[in-house]
Amino acid sequence: MKIIFATGNAGKMKEIREILKDLGMEVLSMKDAGITADIVEDGTTFEENALIKVRAIGPMDDAIILADDSGLEIDALNKEPGVYSARYLGEDTSYEIKNKTIIARLSDTVGSERSCRYRCVIAAMFPDGFENTVSGSMEGVISHFPAGDGGFGYDPIFYIPELKKTVAEMTMDEKNLISHRGLALEGIKPVIKNWLELHA
Ligand code: IMP
């Protein structure tokens, strides 16, 4: 039994492999598994989109299929970009521009008015068709300037006041311990272990 993770995002795949490595299972991306599916993420919640992704691929006899849907919610922008985080200002617009635009849109806010969170829902589809979802979140504020070159996406402007740094200034291990995706993946691990025990 292996795990196929339904994402084409190399940055995410790197984080996911690291977090799931203690399951001792092979973790393949869709590309690694030779699966090409044109998935239309037209859900309005992270949960709906994560389920759309696993249902587009599974169930499969020899693999547990996982998918995540995640995004950035900025309170002062009515929780934008939310489920549209990847598509914000257009899919092909660089994060340098997306991040600068967000900073500009928040120019008349200070301190906790700049609150935001990353949210992530992981969906799992097992070979018998059983489905489950687990969510995780991480709180922060939008910084006044981008900083750091780790991570991906909105990480350079996602500032964690308690740690006095942006997510892009963290190591991958630091990020995975507290991130929305790290927490959601930790939550799905016991579900996977349980299913495997019951179907050994
Ligand atoms: P998804 O691939 O449809 O789940 O879209 C997730 C999008 O949310 C990404 O493309 C990023 O724009 C944003 N995002 C989610 N998680 C992170 C993260 O850990 N760092 C930076 N951006 C993230």
Side-chain angles (χ1 to χ4, degrees), residues 3-5 12-23 27 65-69 120-124 133-137 176 179-193:
I3 289 177
I4 297 176
F5 208 102
K12 272 194 199 171
M13 236 7 248
K14 223 166 127 186
E15 292 182 0
I16 288 159
R17 279 214 174 87
E18 185 60 32
I19 298 166
L20 293 180
K21 75 175 178 214
D22 59 333
L23 280 176
V27 182
I65 300 159
L66 300 182
D68 83 327
D69 198 60
C120 174
V121 172
I122 304 279
T133 58
V134 177
S135 65
S137 68
N176 287 345
S179 79
H180 52 315
R181 193 169 303 103
L183 296 174
L185 282 165
E186 284 303 331
I188 206 78
K189 277 188 207 175
V191 182
I192 294 174
K193 283 185 189 153

Side-chain angles (χ1 to χ4, degrees), residues 84-105:
Y84 304 104
S85 293
R87 288 163 276 176
Y88 179 60
L89 302 175
E91 193 103 37
D92 296 330
T93 303
S94 71
Y95 278 93
E96 203 182 327
I97 292 174
K98 293 188 208 245
N99 289 341
K100 274 190 186 152
T101 306
I102 288 175
I103 290 173
R105 287 182 70 193

Side-chain angles (χ1 to χ4, degrees), residues 9 12 15 41 53 68-72 85-86 95 118 152-155 175 180-181:
N9 180 325
K12 272 194 199 171
E15 292 182 0
E41 290 175 39
K53 291 179 208 176
D68 83 327
D69 198 60
S70 54
L72 172 67
S85 293
Y95 278 93
Y118 277 141
F152 65 97
Y154 300 100
D155 288 348
K175 177 176 177 183
H180 52 315
R181 193 169 303 103

Side-chain angles (χ1 to χ4, degrees), residues 100-162:
K100 274 190 186 152
T101 306
I102 288 175
I103 290 173
R105 287 182 70 193
L106 292 184
S107 61
D108 57 357
T109 60
V110 288
S112 58
E113 292 168 0
R114 302 172 72 88
S115 59
C116 62
R117 73 201 53 74
Y118 277 141
R119 292 194 50 219
C120 174
V121 172
I122 304 279
M125 159 93 65
F126 293 88
D128 56 1
F130 177 77
E131 295 172 349
N132 206 320
T133 58
V134 177
S135 65
S137 68
M138 176 191 201
E139 300 285 328
V141 294
I142 299 296
S143 62
H144 291 272
F145 308 96
D149 49 20
F152 65 97
Y154 300 100
D155 288 348
I157 61 165
F158 194 108
Y159 183 77
I160 308 208
E162 297 80 17

